[in-house]
Amino acid sequence: MISLLNMALLTLLAIVTVGVMQQRNLFGVIVLAGIYSFLMASLLILLDAVDVAMTEAAVGAGIST
């Protein structure tokens, strides 16, 4: 079950990455970067790295966007 969730999150991360690369609108890139940060924090929580996930959420979604 956990590996299925990991694969789903990694697939979504790849899709968002391609979306960021193809986006021409700056606001769209910022929104997708926030989504990427949220997905990465979720993946890190599943991998039992909660401290790293909290840092990713704070830096990725809070400061970067």
Side-chain angles (χ1 to χ4, degrees):
M1 182 66 182
I2 298 291
S3 63
L4 182 65
L5 266 148
N6 285 344
M7 290 302 290
L9 285 173
L10 287 172
T11 304
L12 287 173
L13 281 171
I15 291 170
V16 169
T17 302
V18 170
V20 167
M21 290 189 306
Q22 293 182 349
Q23 188 66 253
R24 300 257 185 227
N25 187 4
L26 182 61
F27 183 72
V29 171
I30 292 170
V31 169
L32 287 174
I35 293 170
Y36 182 87
S37 176
F38 172 74
L39 289 172
M40 193 65 198
S42 300
L43 182 65
L44 289 169
I45 287 173
L46 285 177
L47 295 174
D48 290 331
V50 180
D51 54 340
V52 179
M54 290 175 64
T55 304
E56 171 66 31
V59 171
I63 296 172
S64 296
T65 58

